[in-house]
Amino acid sequence: MDLPFHVASHLDSALRAAASQLGWADRGFQPEVRVADPAHGDFQANGALAFAKREKQNPRAVAQQMVDALDASVKDQFDLSLAGPGFINFRLKPAALLGWITRHDSEPHLREAAAGERRGQTWVVDYSSPNTAKQMHVGHLRSAVIGEALCRLLTFNGATVIRDNHLGDWGTQFGKLIYAYKRWVDEAALAADAIEELERLYKLGTAATPDDSPALDEARAELVKLQNGDPENVALWKKFSDVSLAAFQQIYDRLGIRFDHNLGESFYNDKLTRVYAELSDTGIAQESEGALVVFHPEHPRFKTQPFLIRKADGASNYGSTDLATAVYRAEHFKADGIVIVTDFRQADHFEQLFLTVRKWFAAKSYRTPELHHVTFGAVTGEDGKALKTRSGDVIRLKLLLDEAEERAYALVAAKNAERPEPERMSDGECRDIARAVGIGAVQYADLAQNRSSNYVFSWDKMLALDGNTAPYLLYAVARVRSIFRKAGLDPAQPPVAGATAPETPQELALARKLVQFADAVQVATDQLRPHFLCLYLFELAGAYSGFYAADKVIVDDPSVRARRLLLCHRTLVTLETGLHLLGLRTLERM
RNA sequence: GCACCCGUAGCUCAAUUGGAUAGAGUAUUCGGCUACGAACCGAAAGGUUGCAGGUUCGAUUCCUGCCGGGUGCGCCA
């Protein structure tokens, strides 16, 4: 029997079958299979320990019985050993490695193999979500980059993914903006760079309408006109949204992002009365100080900290729209899961929101999707403070990406100049490479770190050519491609017939790493943490570099050459597939 | 005041949610290009996992209490 894509779950099934043969299945035996430290094996099963403890048996003996009861095919594919207090170690035999690597030969085939995990599921991913009439700044980067990677991971695992940009396109700030627009708009500036001008007006409007001022009353009047459908104000508001979206798309294009929907807060305007009615009727919401709020008596904090869903003046807020959004996604998109990617400061809000949604849907017998708030830490400068320009302003995302490309270009051009004349690349090619390396470095730096912690932004670290960085991975890709190019071979049609099983320590280490791709993707997706995939790709690139330094690929012996080309090719496929899952563009040369 | 997140090698970070001797990169020291990209590889050294208890075969991980940093807590989103 061929080794399937998911080796860990294959072992899990085999161990469960053995447990059931021993009569342990209904006593709650859990195999607990995971990727092992290479010193011990490729995979390990730890389940014997917990089981033995519960059953008051000797864990070594339990593990030995498990091994004895395992299907013969497992013993054909793995070397088994017991260690320590009762760990079962599995080491793939070279022939099994060769079989797996031979079968998983392209990005489409990897995709097909992984797609069984979430086939038939629909996931709505809500990320980026900037406010219209304002430029995107560095604070918007993580949501966009992490959200896009999660979309790709979920898609890879077989889900239908709906990318929804939940724009901040409604609220009191638009009264102020219209107020300022009508007084101070500079038409020439608007034509030249619309969003720049809108942002200027936005700041003017905010400054001109302090609390309790007559100007604030006028701004509120503009808002009321907008909400009541005044044609002039609605047209202005529409214009603000259009130019904002066009500006956002320029950023998204550079990051490889394309949304299916831009359903901002305004979209839910006419869907709020239902929210108020159903939450009031079911007794989940209550009046308090004139506002409509939800308390959660079972929660230590939210029993007294209210979830405000309608303000005392009758206006909606983001509690209202987020509730309407949740029911829309559940009903219209038939979502099995909803992922919302925002920074950790909104954790309370979404905890309250999810508690409320669950009670609401249960009371009305609506099907409740899985609800996930994917949080991430702040982006700080190297001083640990929020990232700002020297003058103290927020850093615009556009300028940040420009700088990434410029810095990458300087590195690429310098390296290119050192090359011998015939291998030198054109300036245009250098520019193109710099775009992929610079943007990729920014994306990767954000993804490689566990998203819960704060992230220290450092140009030098993200553009370093060594360490866990995009340039290191892209370099590994370029080196594999270079072998094929120099040998005059087409990487789409690698001549790998007659490849023999891996033999040298570096070949074996690389082959084992390749097989673990399935596990890395699964962990990253299930935990909604792309850094697990980053770590894997870094280790894969490291295994390849070790192999490359130790074992020459283009040798005379045809079987050795074929098996090394096979390893090179599968490394290329896996690295590129992984980097594409993260949203990075890969290169031929760099 | 209440709550959440973070605290791991000099620095930047991992540790697959309770598993084996806590791992990488960087910086430091040493070694390797007449091998297909040295933007690389190999090796050494670097630790009381903030502190103090507790739970158990086993704790960076779970519980309690402190210390330090960040954040949130009714009409912004």
Side-chain angles (χ1 to χ4, degrees):
Chain A
M1 185 187 132
D2 286 342
L3 200 58
F5 180 63
H6 278 287
V7 179
S9 46
H10 169 63
L11 285 173
D12 182 89
S13 313
L15 285 159
R16 283 177 195 279
S20 117
Q21 215 180 82
L22 292 163
W24 295 351
D26 45 8
R27 282 192 261 162
F29 177 86
Q30 295 293 328
E32 292 183 37
V33 177
R34 57 199 60 178
V35 172
D37 185 316
H40 304 121
D42 298 329
F43 297 89
Q44 59 178 285
N46 301 342
L49 279 82
F51 183 76
K53 182 180 167 185
R54 234 184 11 256
E55 298 277 317
K56 303 202 188 322
Q57 293 187 41
N58 179 333
R60 282 289 289 213
V62 166
Q64 186 60 54
Q65 290 178 69
M66 286 299 308
V67 169
D68 292 343
L70 272 172
D71 190 83
S73 72
V74 173
K75 291 167 191 167
D76 289 343
Q77 291 162 335
F78 297 88
D79 289 316
L80 304 185
S81 62
L82 290 191
F87 300 109
I88 307 173
N89 290 323
F90 300 83
R91 195 179 284 286
L92 278 159
K93 294 184 179 179
L97 286 168
L98 176 65
W100 191 98
I101 291 164
T102 303
R103 281 191 299 283
H104 298 99
D105 60 352
S106 67
E107 184 160 342
H109 286 165
L110 289 172
R111 187 170 289 276
E112 201 175 291
E117 288 294 309
R118 291 172 188 271
R119 205 188 303 280
Q121 298 181 13
T122 299
W123 284 71
V124 175
V125 183
D126 169 342
Y127 63 112
S128 186
S129 308
N131 292 328
T132 57
K134 283 167 124 177
Q135 304 223 32
M136 291 180 79
H137 58 81
V138 63
H140 293 109
L141 182 65
R142 291 198 92 177
S143 175
V145 169
I146 292 170
E148 180 61 27
L150 294 178
C151 288
R152 292 175 184 222
L153 282 165
L154 287 164
T155 303
F156 192 75
N157 274 4
T160 300
V161 171
I162 293 165
R163 291 162 163 85
D164 186 13
N165 198 2
H166 194 68
L167 299 166
D169 63 354
W170 202 248
T172 49
Q173 70 271 25
F174 287 94
K176 296 177 181 179
L177 179 58
I178 292 170
Y179 174 93
Y181 185 94
K182 288 182 176 174
R183 282 163 182 76
W184 303 304
V185 66
D186 176 342
E187 292 293 350
L190 194 68
D193 187 344
I195 197 143
E196 183 86 25
E197 173 63 5
L198 288 184
E199 194 163 55
R200 187 185 71 89
L201 292 168
Y202 189 99
K203 286 178 186 159
L204 277 177
T206 304
T209 55
D211 289 349
D212 300 321
S213 65
L216 184 60
D217 291 335
E218 286 186 57
R220 284 192 178 131
E222 296 289 6
L223 181 66
V224 171
K225 280 167 71 182
L226 171 64
Q227 289 171 339
N228 291 339
D230 171 76
E232 185 187 6
N233 281 12
V234 168
L236 280 179
W237 172 84
K238 182 80 171 56
K239 180 176 184 170
F240 299 158
S241 291
D242 290 347
V243 301
S244 301
L245 269 178
F248 298 155
Q249 192 56 48
Q250 289 181 5
I251 303 273
Y252 295 146
D253 284 345
R254 297 169 80 178
L255 296 172
I257 296 174
R258 188 158 288 275
F259 284 96
D260 300 306
H261 300 281
N262 293 290
L263 301 177
E265 289 161 352
S266 64
F267 177 76
Y268 297 97
N269 258 331
D270 60 358
K271 299 173 180 60
L272 301 175
T273 48
R274 172 185 171 193
V275 173
Y276 305 142
E278 292 192 4
L279 286 172
S280 299
D281 291 350
T282 52
I284 293 167
Q286 57 184 267
E287 295 277 342
S288 169
E289 296 174 30
L292 192 60
V293 303
V294 178
F295 290 102
H296 296 285
E298 76 286 4
H299 192 281
R301 196 154 23 102
F302 303 144
K303 63 185 176 193
T304 52
Q305 182 181 321
F307 183 51
L308 191 71
I309 65 170
R310 189 179 62 204
K311 301 196 280 190
D313 63 5
S316 62
N317 69 343
Y318 78 136
S320 342
T321 50
D322 279 357
L323 286 164
T325 304
V327 76
Y328 184 80
R329 287 171 176 165
E331 290 180 350
H332 182 264
F333 293 126
K334 300 190 172 18
D336 297 291
I338 298 173
V339 175
I340 298 170
V341 188
T342 79
D343 75 81
F344 67 103
R345 288 176 299 186
Q346 298 188 45
D348 273 6
H349 168 74
F350 285 106
E351 198 179 343
Q352 288 175 304
L353 177 76
F354 292 170
L355 282 169
T356 307
V357 166
R358 290 195 179 100
K359 288 180 186 173
W360 174 22
F361 284 21
K364 303 294 284 184
S365 300
Y366 302 153
R367 198 172 63 103
T368 310
E370 273 185 51
L371 301 167
H372 297 277
H373 183 213
V374 168
T375 64
F376 51 84
V379 180
T380 73
E382 292 182 70
D383 57 359
K385 300 273 165 62
L387 196 61
K388 295 270 170 68
T389 63
R390 268 195 297 273
S391 56
D393 297 328
V394 293
I395 296 174
R396 291 176 183 163
L397 198 40
K398 177 177 178 297
L399 297 179
L400 180 114
L401 298 180
D402 289 347
E403 182 164 358
E405 291 179 3
E406 275 311 312
R407 285 173 179 262
Y409 175 75
L411 293 170
V412 171
K415 188 66 200 172
N416 193 43
E418 291 171 16
R419 282 199 172 80
E421 185 66 42
E423 291 178 26
R424 220 166 279 173
M425 301 179 291
S426 71
D427 189 60
E429 195 175 352
C430 287
R431 283 278 170 199
D432 183 60
I433 289 164
R435 273 196 292 279
V437 171
I439 303 290
V442 170
Q443 293 171 299
Y444 192 84
D446 221 328
L447 292 166
Q449 187 165 130
N450 188 332
R451 58 179 165 76
S452 356
S453 38
N454 288 350
Y455 153 44
V456 178
F457 192 95
S458 160
W459 286 119
D460 290 341
K461 289 210 170 63
M462 73 177 67
L463 286 168
L465 286 310
D466 32 38
N468 190 5
T469 64
Y472 178 78
L473 295 180
L474 293 171
Y475 175 64
V477 169
R479 284 215 295 184
V480 186
R481 287 200 169 274
S482 176
I483 286 186
F484 283 92
R485 193 167 51 242
K486 290 271 167 62
L489 300 170
D490 178 5
Q493 311 266 314
V496 296
T500 48
E503 278 181 25
T504 71
Q506 287 80 9
E507 289 170 356
L508 285 163
L510 178 56
R512 296 198 158 103
K513 220 28 157 180
L514 287 166
V515 172
Q516 289 167 6
F517 174 71
D519 193 76
V521 169
Q522 188 171 17
V523 172
T525 312
D526 289 351
Q527 301 195 21
L528 300 172
R529 290 183 187 273
H531 80 279
F532 286 112
L533 178 56
C534 295
L535 185 65
Y536 166 79
L537 293 174
F538 174 58
E539 288 172 352
L540 176 62
Y544 178 75
S545 290
F547 158 77
Y548 183 91
D551 297 325
K552 186 170 183 185
V553 176
I554 305 303
V555 292
D556 292 335
D557 183 327
S559 73
V560 174
R561 182 180 154 119
R563 80 164 185 252
R564 289 185 182 164
L565 277 170
L566 176 71
L567 287 167
C568 286
H569 178 259
R570 300 309 193 253
T571 301
L572 176 65
V573 165
T574 307
L575 282 175
E576 291 196 329
T577 301
L579 288 166
H580 297 158
L581 280 174
L582 297 171
L584 273 72
R585 181 159 69 93
T586 52
L587 296 163
E588 291 278 334
R589 305 174 66 189
M590 70 179 274

